[in-house]
Structure formats: C-alpha cells, structure tokens
C-alpha cells in the first residue's frame, strides 16, 4: 500500500482531521470546595463564594495535621497473623481523611450534543449532581466511572452546575486512601451517534517478527439500525499509517469488527515499549459523526506450565514491585510528572513490572507503564464479601463487584503493559468453603471481558487454598510470602506455575543502622526505626535474598512483586501497635521522599543487567565505636570485591553458593571502625579491577547541597522537579547524622509544592516550606507555573551556608 506520514501525537486530536464531533477536556480549574456536610450544596442557586478555591486533582486530607487520634483503630489484623485485637495508630497515616467533602464547578455544552462526565477516581461514595439533580452514584473510590448527563443539561446556553459529594467513613481503609476528587475529571462532548467510553477492544491473535494480526472491535451508540461505516488507520510508532480498512454494517448492539495485518511489527516490551494507534472515523449514512483513537501495543504473552512466562516468545521472570497509590508528600492527588519520576527510579533499579495494590490505578500510571516499559498486574480489591475493615468494600461487593470489574477491564484491556489481572489480595473469603465460587465469579468476568490475559489472586492462607479448591481454580496461583510453601503448592496444584504475588516485606529506615547486624523479625527499637542493613522483616515475611533464590533456582516460579517499591502513608509495621508517631510504612525499597534506601542497590545489583552496581554501607560516622566491629556490606553486580579501611585490607570476598546471603551480598563482619575512609575495590571475572567506591567519615556540617532531578520544566502548571537536599561538610561529604531544620524560599516561574524527609516518625507538614532533614537528606518538590521564566530556589538552615538553585521553565 502507499504510505502516508502523520504526526502520531496529533493523531488523536480533532485538529488533525478538522472535525469537532468529539471534544474532551479536563475540568481542572475553578472548583470550589468545603469540608463537612452542607445542606442544599447541589442546588444551582447555592452560594459557594465562601468556599475554598481549589484545583482538581485535589486531596484535602494530605494537609493534615498529623494526629494520633485521626485514625485510632482497635482491630485484629488477621493477614498479619494476629489472633486478638489491639490498638493501632498511624494505620491510615495519622491524617484526617474521614468525613464529607463537597465540590462545585460549572461547564458548558453546545446545544444538540451529548455530554458525559468521566471520573478517574473519587474518594469515596461519590454522588454526582448536575443542575441540582443526582445523575449517578459510585461508591468505590478507586475506580473510574462515567455518567451520561445529557438529559440534565440546560438547553439555553446557560452554564451547567456540577456538584460532587464525597464521604470517607471511619475504618474504611487500612492504609491512607486520600480524600476528595484526587484524580482527574473529564468532560466528553460527542454527537448523538458516537463510540462510548472505553468502546473499543484490540487483540493481537497472532504475533511474530514477520507479521501480526490485529483485531479491532468498535462499539457505536445512538445509531439504532442505521448504516455505519468505520474507516480505521493503524499508525506505527514511526508515525506511519501501516494499514487501513473500511468496514460497513448495521449496528445492532454488537461491535463492528475489523481485522488487520501489520507487517514487520514493532513488538512492545519493557526494553522497547513501542506503541501503535488505531484512528477510527465513524460515518453514519455517509456523514462523519465521530473519531475515536485507541492506543495499543503488539506483543504476545504465554504462561507455560513447568516453563514459566514468555513475552514475545522470550522467557523472563517478573522483577516487579507492589505500589500503593499515594505519592508521598503529594498525597493521593495524581500527578503524571510525579509518577514518571517514580517509574524512572524503578526503571534504573531494573524493575520491569508493577502490581497496583490493592486497587484500580490512575489512568496516568497505566499510560506511563505503556510508554516507559513496565508490565502490569492490575488489581481491583482488598476485600470481597467478608470484611477486613468495618466500613470496607464488603458493604458493596454483592451489588457492585461486577460493575467495578467491568469498568476496570474495559478501561485497561487495550493497554499492552497489562499482562495479568488480579482479582484480590489476601481476602478472608479465600478460607470460606464457598470462597472458590466467589473467585470463579470474578475470574469469569475477566475471561468474558478479556480472554487474552490470565487471572491471579494474592493468597496468604496456603493451608486453606490448597485444600478448598480456591488456588486450583485460578489461572495463575499467586502466593503472598510463605516462601517455605512454594514447592508444596507447586506439587499439589495443577497449573505448574507459582507467582510471588507479594514478596519480602523487608523493613528499613534510610540511613539507620543497628548493631549487631543480624536477621530480626518485627524487632522494635526505642527510636521507632528499622535497620538499613536489610536483615529485618516482619513475622510473616523474609529478607530479599530468599525471593532472589526462588526465582533463580526453580523454572516454575515466574517472578515476584516486592512489597513495596516505595514507602507509603499508613501501615507503619512493625510499629503499628500504639507506636505513635510512626505513620508511614518502612517496606519501601525507596523512602517516602523518593530517596533510594540501601536495599535499592541490592535489587539493582541483581535486576539491572545493563549497568553495573557498586554500593557500600553503612555510613562511617560511628563515634564511640572506635576499635569495635561495624560490619560493612557491599551490594554489587560484580563477582568479587576487596575492602580497605584507611588503606588496610580486610580481605577480598566473592559471591558464593555456600549460604543464602553470600549469593547476593558481600559482607565483612570483621570490619573494625576507625574514623577515616572506607574503600571498596571491585573485580571482574578475570580478576581485573573495574570499579571502586569510597565512604568517608564526615566533618562538621558546613553547607546545603541541592541536586535536582532535572533543570528544565514545562510551563504547564503541573510539571515537577524533585530536588535532593543534602547537608554536607566542607569537603562535600554527606553528614549522615544531621537532622537540621531547613526552610525554603521559592520565587519566580514556579512554586514550592511539598517536601519530605523519609522519616516514618516525622510530623512536619508536607505543604509548609520547612522540613527537618533525616540523616542528612530530604526532598524538595517544586512545581512549574504557566509562564516561561526562571524559578529561584534557596534553602537555609541555621549555622550552614545556604543552598541555591535556578530552574528554567519554558
């Protein structure tokens, strides 16, 4: 065929074709908000001038204040092996998320058009009103939903009033859920005849290097029995129309089907995340009525018994992490720039997969995983019909589970990053005699809506699920922890595969090291921290080395999803039993301030096959330990290394199969502390020196160093830069024990957005321009404005030379 070139980024915009049948806009600005119940707030004539002006996405609870009384719960956490109730503090972050919030704004729709409001997520129990009438109710705060509001619109050109009432009940979550319109709200305007929300489905029934078959199903609404024509162009990652098809037919509630052959396709993978776009123009009786774009990828997935997971015919194991939805100091309010930064850190670590635990993700996360190359396990629920939380999802499961599943599946079934669905996490129903029937109900919905991907479930009660048929019924059995049961489960179950659906739960505080450096489970310390020697876990879990070995030693294990990639607000295990002020997790490989912990480099040394890793711990400021043992650990992709302290060799170590920890770490328990310099020299397989790293005893704190993630921002009012703030001595060495208070002054073409230090006990407010450093470091987040210019950032602390930085916005 004759190729014609187009700009792929513009392919889904109306201007490309000169048509305006479909217009989608974000309702971001001009919102009014108030916390608390307000009578009559849905009315067109209601006066909201005294309400707060906000921008959506908006999380009203993240501003605090932190308080022990915000989320006290006297509960038994069965999935943590607890047998009786105890008082829990900080379980949902110690933030005031409970209560009612109202939002109001207005919008215009031209006469004769259809209008749909699409909510990417609203926390929670959303009641949507247009011009005073309730147009829809959606209880689950994590799911996307939409409301056709056409019949409620003004027809005389007047603005339409949109009001949203949200309510978070006490004990409705077991981590920080956020509060408010924390994800985007879209206004979709179409003709009467149009492709509905999530109205297409693309599959690739055959994929190889030579060609791929692509099948597109397109649903059209409003056509009744009229003749339709669909003209679709498939546009390649090179912005080339590689194939086109025109299909005619009569619409009778079934989708119109088009089949294509793409020659020499670009195959989507984490290493090469190439994306295509199908641009479909809809004609009714010769009139162009709609244009709909579907982004997709061409790739094959196979799960083969005894052998494992194959992507595009290549065997691989998931190197994944679980993540909650909050963005640390930004709260639950979604920001694509923040998500991109998080994913870039995980990418450098060698992570290639994300589990959306334990809820539907923000659409922006899935889009970025498509673009940046992360496979995804998308998961909807943390509980089914049996409660974990008093006011949890079980209240709505019977009526709403299928509706929620259908929305999730139709929303994300065209995304190539999605390679597996999960139907739940550690649900109490797994031990019910009828539990397998509930699991089958949910799995069948997945198979009906998307027959191309398998279904798993995160199971932690191995005894139950092996006996009652629950695990045997699933496409892929997913085991949370319980590593000692993997082999037994493999031998008893029919699938011939085991997935580590949730692994590790190793706990650590960045820059904190406890002696002696030995394995501990749920160890408690007076400072409410955990050791970054990465030898501490919870009673139900294990250190990372165990999961590395399971992936390496058994072909029937298909990889793991580590709990968690990032620290998150809430669940401060092991300090969850009346241990205030702890209010954030310690599970993260990366802390709440988006600063990598030592454990990051342990995973990187195993997972990142493209770049070498050489990382040394701990710090070397141990006043009072002179002449005593202070173990030195090295996380490296090199096979061996030698330790020197002030020039004296403490021996050369090689990775060894003789013990678990010696397989993945190099450790010198014989290291003796004396102030000065620790140097590690790395060797390759031939014994050649290839790299070295040095850690020095720091002197007195001298100045503030600012290290930005980048220096140029987009003038879109949303772009973010993450600045790592370090307190260093005169020579530039990090001062690892400094906890100074720092204040920030931001001027010019942007603004201070938030800061965090990664300390799970710190009660400093994220949104105020001041923060204590934690072990010498914190993160400062700056947001661009809408105009080009320069942002001037100054960080000050008493007795230290200030840090200064200029950022360009354009």
């Amino acid at each position: 065929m004759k190729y014609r070139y187009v700009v792929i980024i513009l392919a889904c915009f109306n201007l490309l074709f000169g048509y305006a049948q479909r217009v989608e806009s974000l309702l971001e600005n001009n919102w009014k908000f108030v916390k608390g119940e307000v009578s009559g707030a849905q009315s067109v004539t209601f006066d909201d001038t005294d309400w707060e002006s906000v921008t959506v996405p908006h999380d009203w609870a993240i501003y605090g204040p932190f308080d022990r009384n915000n989320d006290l719960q006297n509960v038994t956490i069965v999935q943590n092996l607890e047998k009786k109730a105890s008082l829990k503090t900080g379980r949902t972050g110690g933030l005031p998320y409970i209560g009612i919030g109202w939002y109001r704004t207005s919008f215009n729709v031209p006469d004769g058009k259809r209008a749909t409001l699409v909510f990417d997520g609203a926390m929670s129990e959303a009641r949507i009103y247009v011009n005073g009438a309730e147009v829809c109710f959606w209880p689950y705060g994590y799911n996307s939903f939409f409301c056709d509001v056409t019949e409620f619109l003004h027809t005389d050109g007047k603005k339409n009033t949109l009001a949203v009432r949200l309510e978070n009940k006490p004990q409705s979550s077991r981590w920080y859920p956020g509060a408010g319109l924390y994800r985007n709200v879209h206004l979709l305007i179409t003709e009467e005849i149009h492709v509905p929300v999530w109205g297409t489905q693309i599959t690739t029934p055959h994929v190889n290097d030579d060609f791929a078959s692509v099948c597109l199903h397109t649903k059209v609404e409003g056509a009744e029995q009229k003749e339709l024509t669909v003209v679709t162009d498939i546009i390649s990652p090179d912005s080339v129309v590689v194939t086109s098809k025109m299909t005619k037919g009569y619409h009778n509630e079934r989708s119109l089907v088009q089949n294509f052959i793409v020659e020499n396709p670009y195959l989507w993978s984490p290493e090469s995340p190439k994306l295509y776009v199908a641009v479909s123009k809809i004609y009714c009786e010769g009139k162009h009525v709609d244009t709909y774009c579907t982004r997709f990828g061409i790739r094959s997935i196979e799960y083969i018994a005894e052998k494992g997971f194959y992507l595009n015919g290549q065997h691989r194991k998931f190197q994944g992490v679980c993540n909650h939805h909050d963005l640390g100091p930004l709260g639950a309010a979604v920001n694509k720039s923040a998500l991109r930064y998080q994913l870039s850190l995980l990418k450098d670590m060698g992570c290639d997969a994300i589990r959306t635990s334990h809820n539907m993700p923000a659409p922006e996360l899935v889009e970025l995983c498509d673009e940046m190359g992360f496979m995804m396990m998308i998961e909807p629920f943390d509980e089914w019909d049996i409660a974990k939380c008093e006011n949890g999802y079980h209240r709505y499961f019977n009526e709403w589970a299928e509706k929620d599943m259908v929305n999730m599946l139709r929303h994300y079934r065209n995304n190539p990053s999605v390679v597996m669905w999960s139907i739940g996490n550690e649900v109490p129903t797994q031990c019910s005699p009828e539990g397998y029937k509930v699991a089958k109900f949910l799995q069948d919905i997945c198979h009906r809506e998307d027959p191309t991907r398998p279904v798993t479930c995160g199971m932690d009660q191995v005894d139950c699920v092996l006996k009652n048929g629950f695990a045997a019924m699933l496409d892929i059995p997913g085991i949370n922890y319980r590593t000692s049961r993997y082999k037994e489960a493999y031998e008893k179950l029919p699938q011939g595969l085991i997935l580590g659906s949730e692994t590790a739960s190793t706990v650590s505080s960045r820059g904190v090291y406890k002696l002696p450096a030995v394995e501990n489970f749920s160890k408690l310390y007076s400072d409410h921290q955990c050791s970054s020697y990465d030898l501490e876990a919870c009673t139900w879990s294990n250190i990372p080395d165990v999961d590395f070995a399971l992936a390496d030693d058994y072909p029937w294990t298909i990889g793991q999803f580590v709990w968690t990639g990032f620290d998150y607000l809430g669940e401060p295990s092991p300090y969850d039993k009346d241990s205030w002020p702890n209010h954030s997790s310690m599970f993260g490989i990366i802390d709440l301030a988006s600063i990598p912990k030592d454990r990051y480099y342990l995973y990187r040394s195993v997972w990142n096959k493209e770049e070498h890793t050489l990382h040394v711990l701990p710090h070397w400021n141990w006043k009072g330990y002179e002449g005593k043992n202070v173990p030195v650990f090295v996380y490296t992709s090199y096979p061996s290394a030698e330790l020197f302290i002030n020039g004296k060799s403490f021996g050369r170590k090689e990775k060894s199969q003789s013990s678990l920890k010696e397989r993945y770490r190099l450790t010198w328990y014989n290291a003796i502390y004396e102030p000065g310099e620790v140097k590690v020299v790395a060797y390759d397989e031939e014994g050649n020196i290839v790299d070295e790293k040095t850690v020095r005893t720091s002197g007195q704190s001298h100045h503030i160093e600012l290290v930005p993630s980048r220096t140029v921002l987009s003038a879109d009012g949303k772009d973010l830069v993450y600045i790592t703030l370090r307190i260093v001595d005169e020579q530039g060495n990090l001062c690892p024990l400094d906890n100074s208070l720092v204040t920030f002054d931001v001027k010019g073409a942007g603004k201070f957005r938030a800061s965090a230090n990664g300390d799970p006990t710190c009660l400093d407010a994220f949104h105020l321009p001041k923060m204590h450093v934690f072990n010498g470091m914190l993160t400062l987040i700056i947001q661009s404005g809408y105009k080009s210019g320069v942002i001037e950032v100054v960080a000050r602390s008493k007795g230290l030379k200030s840090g200064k930085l200029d950022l360009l916005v354009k």
Side-chain angles (χ1 to χ4, degrees):
M1 63 172 292
K2 182 179 180 181
Y3 292 123
R4 57 188 174 89
Y5 289 82
V6 295
V7 180
I8 196 168
I9 296 176
L10 293 178
C12 294
F13 287 84
N14 301 311
L15 291 177
L16 178 66
F17 303 102
Y19 301 122
Q21 294 90 349
R22 173 179 292 264
V23 177
E24 183 172 343
S25 57
L26 288 179
L27 299 181
E28 297 178 290
N29 302 313
N30 304 313
W31 285 90
K32 290 287 192 173
F33 166 76
V34 71
K35 185 178 177 182
E37 186 63 285
V38 180
S39 178
Q42 72 272 30
S43 171
V44 173
T45 59
F46 183 84
D47 184 1
D48 59 17
T49 54
D50 291 337
W51 290 16
E52 179 185 359
S53 296
V54 300
T55 300
V56 169
H58 175 247
D59 177 0
W60 53 257
I62 193 61
Y63 302 103
F66 295 108
D67 193 297
R68 178 180 182 273
N69 296 312
N70 279 334
D71 57 1
L72 283 176
Q73 298 184 21
N74 189 43
V75 293
T76 305
I77 305 177
V78 176
Q79 64 270 21
N80 290 2
L81 308 180
E82 294 183 4
K83 302 297 184 183
K84 61 181 182 179
S86 61
L87 189 65
K88 304 297 192 298
T89 52
R91 196 180 187 206
T92 52
L95 288 162
Y97 80 96
I98 297 165
I100 295 168
W102 277 93
Y103 292 83
R104 285 172 54 90
T105 191
S106 60
F107 63 94
N108 285 324
V109 177
D111 288 349
K113 300 286 188 177
R114 296 207 70 83
T116 302
L117 293 170
V118 183
F119 293 81
D120 291 341
M123 192 63 69
S124 57
E125 305 194 16
R127 295 191 181 275
I128 313 301
Y129 301 88
V130 172
N131 296 328
E134 183 171 335
V135 298
C136 64
F137 167 66
W138 204 276
Y140 196 32
Y142 292 107
N143 208 355
S144 299
F145 64 95
F146 58 92
C147 320
D148 186 331
V149 300
T150 307
E151 64 181 279
F152 302 95
L153 301 176
H154 292 309
T155 57
D156 53 4
K158 290 172 57 180
K159 283 190 174 183
N160 299 284
T161 300
L162 169 61
V164 181
R165 181 190 185 274
L166 302 171
E167 181 175 7
N168 286 339
K169 288 184 167 57
Q171 296 194 34
S172 56
S173 181
R174 56 188 192 92
W175 56 82
Y176 177 67
L181 289 176
Y182 72 112
R183 292 180 182 168
N184 278 304
V185 181
H186 310 253
L187 173 63
L188 175 62
I189 300 174
T190 66
E191 301 289 346
E192 182 68 25
I193 299 173
H194 65 282
V195 179
V197 177
W198 316 319
T200 61
Q201 181 175 11
I202 283 188
T203 59
T204 51
H206 177 82
V207 174
N208 64 29
D209 291 337
D210 297 325
F211 74 94
S213 59
V214 176
C215 181
L216 171 64
H217 290 249
T218 303
K219 184 176 181 181
V220 180
E221 291 184 345
E224 296 173 348
Q225 290 295 319
K226 297 177 181 178
E227 185 184 55
L228 295 174
T229 301
V230 180
V231 179
T232 298
D233 293 336
I234 303 294
I235 304 174
S236 77
D238 297 329
S239 302
V240 175
V241 177
V242 293
T243 184
S244 297
K245 181 152 292 189
M246 180 177 69
T247 302
K248 293 186 177 182
Y250 286 87
H251 189 257
N252 57 359
E253 297 303 318
R254 290 181 297 179
S255 299
L256 294 165
V257 181
Q258 296 177 298
N259 291 291
F260 306 84
I261 296 295
V262 177
E263 305 283 353
N264 304 311
Y266 292 99
L267 301 187
W268 186 95
S269 71
E271 293 72 33
S272 181
K274 301 291 188 178
L275 296 170
Y276 289 77
V277 175
V279 181
S280 299
K281 288 175 279 187
I282 314 299
Y283 297 84
C284 182
E285 298 178 345
K287 180 183 178 182
H288 182 201
V289 293
D290 199 6
T291 300
Y292 194 91
C293 295
T294 307
R295 193 171 75 163
F296 68 102
I298 296 175
R299 54 104 180 104
S300 67
I301 56 173
E302 296 176 279
Y303 295 81
I304 302 175
E306 313 300 336
K307 292 186 176 181
F309 170 65
Y310 288 76
L311 178 68
N312 300 326
Q314 300 296 313
H315 180 261
R316 65 190 300 154
K317 298 202 177 191
F318 294 111
Q319 298 177 168
V321 300
C322 306
N323 271 337
H324 272 308
H325 71 301
D326 79 65
L327 294 170
L330 301 176
V334 69
N335 179 283
K336 195 168 186 178
S337 181
L339 288 169
R340 184 182 289 108
Y341 181 66
Q342 285 194 341
L343 291 174
S344 68
L345 291 175
L346 292 173
K347 194 79 172 178
D348 179 69
M349 188 179 74
C351 173
D352 65 7
I354 305 291
R355 175 190 181 207
T356 69
S357 44
H358 307 291
N359 45 260
M360 295 86 166
E364 290 84 357
L365 175 62
V366 186
E367 292 166 7
L368 285 170
C369 286
D370 284 347
E371 296 167 11
M372 298 177 68
F374 289 87
M375 298 175 287
M376 299 193 78
M377 178 207 301
I378 292 186
E379 180 172 271
F381 306 128
D382 188 50
E383 65 181 45
W384 296 345
D385 52 335
I386 300 176
K388 282 186 184 178
C389 297
E390 180 180 331
N391 286 311
Y393 186 73
H394 68 278
R395 295 176 298 136
Y396 293 105
F397 181 84
N398 290 334
E399 179 183 356
W400 286 88
E402 182 164 4
K403 299 173 189 176
D404 277 318
M405 291 286 290
V406 166
N407 275 19
M408 178 190 78
L409 294 161
R410 293 181 181 177
H411 197 171
Y412 299 121
R413 63 189 177 185
N414 294 326
N415 295 88
S417 57
V418 182
V419 297
M420 186 187 309
W421 305 108
S422 169
I423 52 175
N425 171 70
E426 298 180 1
V427 292
T429 310
Q430 68 189 295
C431 286
S432 165
E434 302 293 300
Y436 73 94
K437 294 182 180 180
V438 184
K440 186 178 186 303
F441 161 70
L442 296 173
Q443 181 168 267
D444 285 349
I445 296 170
C446 294
H447 291 167
R448 181 191 75 207
E449 298 292 330
D450 174 29
T452 70
R453 296 174 176 91
V455 176
T456 189
C457 183
M459 301 174 289
D460 63 324
Q461 300 300 315
V462 178
D463 285 338
C464 292
V465 299
L466 291 184
K467 292 176 182 177
N468 65 10
F470 191 102
M473 188 276 309
L474 296 166
D475 295 334
I476 304 291
I479 295 182
N480 288 9
Y481 316 109
R482 317 299 190 261
T483 52
S484 63
R485 308 292 299 275
Y486 272 36
K487 196 168 188 297
E488 176 192 358
Y490 160 71
E491 291 171 348
K492 289 183 176 180
L493 294 173
Q495 296 93 336
L497 298 170
I498 297 292
L499 170 67
S501 44
E502 189 170 313
T503 65
S505 275
T506 309
V507 287
S508 60
S509 304
R510 177 185 49 78
V512 174
Y513 306 94
K514 302 295 187 181
L515 297 178
V518 295
E519 283 192 60
N520 282 306
F521 294 89
S522 295
K523 174 79 171 179
L524 303 179
Y525 301 95
S526 60
D527 62 359
H528 286 211
Q529 305 291 349
C530 294
S531 178
S532 209
Y533 273 114
D534 302 319
L535 294 172
E536 298 188 357
C538 294
T539 52
W540 64 85
S541 57
N542 52 267
I543 61 174
D545 316 57
V546 177
D547 298 297
F548 292 148
L550 283 167
D552 287 344
D553 293 349
Y554 299 105
W556 41 264
T557 59
I558 60 174
Q560 64 167 309
F561 289 83
V562 181
W563 192 262
T564 53
F566 285 77
D567 278 339
Y568 55 93
L569 290 163
E571 289 194 319
S573 299
Y575 295 99
D576 58 344
K577 294 182 177 65
D578 202 8
S579 295
W580 189 259
N582 291 68
H583 59 279
S584 69
S585 83
M586 300 181 176
F587 300 116
I589 298 170
I590 302 168
D591 74 13
L592 202 69
S594 293
I595 301 174
K597 303 179 186 178
D598 292 291
R599 195 165 7 121
Y600 177 94
Y601 301 96
L602 177 58
Y603 281 97
R604 191 181 194 275
S605 70
V606 177
W607 282 359
N608 188 332
K609 309 297 194 299
E610 302 299 318
E611 300 177 66
H612 281 293
T613 299
L614 182 61
H615 178 76
V616 183
L617 63 138
H619 62 71
W620 210 238
N621 281 56
W622 290 86
K623 186 177 180 180
Y625 279 81
E626 289 80 2
K628 298 179 182 178
N629 282 109
V630 176
V632 173
F633 286 13
V634 170
Y635 301 154
T636 182
S637 55
Y638 296 110
S640 65
E642 186 173 4
L643 171 67
F644 297 87
I645 298 176
N646 292 332
K648 177 184 176 182
S649 174
F650 278 75
R652 181 170 166 179
K653 300 273 188 175
E654 294 184 357
K655 292 181 182 176
S656 168
Q657 299 289 324
S658 61
S659 73
L660 185 63
K661 287 188 285 295
E662 290 179 354
R663 289 181 70 173
Y664 304 104
R665 317 174 188 221
L666 301 176
T667 59
W668 285 264
Y669 280 92
N670 63 330
I672 304 297
Y673 175 68
E674 59 181 51
E677 177 183 276
V678 172
K679 183 169 75 172
V680 172
V681 177
Y683 300 88
D684 64 15
E685 289 80 357
E686 286 74 40
N688 302 307
I689 296 175
V690 286
D691 202 355
E692 65 177 50
K693 272 287 173 67
T694 302
V695 176
R696 296 180 177 88
T697 306
S698 69
Q700 185 175 351
S701 299
H702 179 266
H703 63 274
I704 297 173
E705 181 181 87
L706 300 177
V707 183
S709 58
R710 54 202 179 97
T711 57
V712 180
L713 288 80
S714 299
D716 61 3
K718 305 175 189 176
D719 205 5
L720 302 176
V721 59
Y722 282 66
I723 301 171
T724 302
L725 184 150
R726 294 161 44 93
I727 306 293
V728 297
D729 66 11
E730 195 166 4
Q731 285 71 44
N733 299 305
L734 177 71
C735 298
L737 305 179
D738 195 299
N739 294 311
S740 299
L741 177 65
V742 182
T743 59
F744 317 115
D745 187 15
V746 180
K747 297 178 180 178
K751 65 180 181 180
F752 169 80
R753 182 66 177 82
S755 64
N757 59 19
D759 179 359
T761 71
C762 180
L763 301 180
D764 291 353
F766 298 131
H767 67 288
L768 298 179
K770 58 182 179 179
M771 176 71 62
H772 287 87
V773 299
F774 179 53
N775 296 329
M777 302 173 73
L778 61 76
T779 295
L780 174 62
I781 304 174
I782 304 298
Q783 184 169 315
S784 68
Y786 290 97
K787 296 181 179 179
S788 298
V790 175
I791 304 174
E792 300 175 2
V793 182
V794 180
R796 299 180 175 89
S797 184
K798 186 177 180 180
L800 302 179
K801 184 179 178 181
S802 298
K804 298 181 180 180
L805 180 67
D806 287 347
L807 303 166
L808 181 62
V809 178
K810 64 179 184 179

